[in-house]
Amino acid sequence: AQSVTQLDSHVSVSEGTPVLLRCNYSSSYSPSLFWYVQHPNKGLQLLLKYTSAATLVKGINGFEAEFKKSETSFHLTKPSAHMSDAAEYFCVVSKRDDKIIFGKGTRLHILP
Amino acid sequence: GAVVSQHPSWVICKSGTSVKIECRSLDFQATTMFWYRQFPKQSLMLMATSNEGSKATYEQGVEKDKFLINHASLTLSTLTVTSAHPEDSSFYICSARDPGGSKADTQYFGPGTRLTVL
């Protein structure tokens, strides 16, 4: 069975410093993995997607994530945080039946 | 590309009335759409899978007679909350799966609909 765990419910970083949002997954096969961002009272926007083509995936707005099979991790990073990055971030894993499983989310706070 | 819209963005209704929410894929055809519910400060909960031309598949615990789903075309799915009650107040989000190529298992989300039942 597939599952996804976001290790931090809240992360606070200062503007201009690196961002690290952690995600671990469990899957009985090679899954597709996603990161989505949700700003308050908005829908979800796809940041990036891993599909086994490359372990380092570059997304929008300067975000990237690295798939590490040995660690079953898919952490999201950004070199320099911007105030506009403050939002809820969801790590997501696909299932074979077209459904997806959400992590519980990580709230990213950006300190001025 | 891959834009999904929802209408209305927010709605307030009286208890006992029905509310219809529309979900449209604007630049692709979606044979499968999904309806989620999100409670404050929580993750998304899948309610049902909407398949064009066939009955929706509901998740365990979701009342199909309460939440009517219709997927009449490849670009439109509707969710009707029937006889709404205050406990149905929530943020409802739809998504559509782009069936093409490498994006086949990617879901694109609408902006959500805030339902408040008085």
Side-chain angles (χ1 to χ4, degrees), chain A residues 31-32 34 36 38 41-46 49 51 88 90 94 97-100 102-105 107, chain B residues 32 34 36 38 42-44 46 49 59 91 93 97 102-112 114:
Chain A
S32 291
F34 310 80
Y36 287 89
Q38 184 181 32
N41 296 310
K42 301 291 185 183
L44 277 69
Q45 181 183 19
L46 178 66
K49 172 185 177 181
T51 56
E88 189 85 17
F90 292 98
S94 65
D97 60 359
D98 290 341
K99 298 177 184 177
I100 56 178
F102 284 84
K104 292 189 175 182
R107 172 72 62 177
Chain B
T32 305
F34 302 87
Y36 296 85
Q38 186 178 30
Q42 294 190 26
S43 189
L44 279 70
L46 179 64
T49 303
E59 295 300 299
F91 195 53
I93 305 177
R97 189 173 66 87
S102 63
K103 300 176 290 184
D105 61 352
T106 301
Q107 291 187 24
Y108 296 92
F109 288 82
R114 173 74 58 193

Side-chain angles (χ1 to χ4, degrees), chain A:
Chain A
Q2 286 71 42
S3 67
V4 61
T5 303
Q6 291 183 242
L7 300 172
D8 306 291
S9 58
H10 292 265
V11 169
S12 295
V13 302
S14 296
E15 189 176 19
T17 64
V19 175
L20 170 63
L21 304 183
R22 298 183 295 165
C23 173
N24 286 105
Y25 72 93
S26 172
S27 179
S28 55
Y29 60 94
S30 182
S32 291
L33 293 161
F34 310 80
W35 276 99
Y36 287 89
V37 61
Q38 184 181 32
H39 289 90
N41 296 310
K42 301 291 185 183
L44 277 69
Q45 181 183 19
L46 178 66
L47 280 178
L48 49 81
K49 172 185 177 181
Y50 166 76
T51 56
S52 77
T55 57
L56 183 62
V57 184
K58 293 188 182 299
I60 62 171
N61 301 336
F63 284 94
E64 61 182 38
E66 185 172 8
F67 175 77
K68 292 187 177 180
K69 186 175 181 179
S70 61
E71 299 177 9
T72 62
S73 69
F74 189 57
H75 301 336
L76 182 70
T77 60
K78 182 174 181 177
S80 177
H82 191 273
M83 293 300 291
S84 61
D85 295 327
E88 189 85 17
Y89 291 79
F90 292 98
C91 182
V92 173
V93 64
S94 65
K95 295 172 62 178
R96 288 191 188 276
D97 60 359
D98 290 341
K99 298 177 184 177
I100 56 178
I101 299 174
F102 284 84
K104 292 189 175 182
T106 298
R107 172 72 62 177
L108 177 62
H109 303 271
I110 310 298
L111 307 173

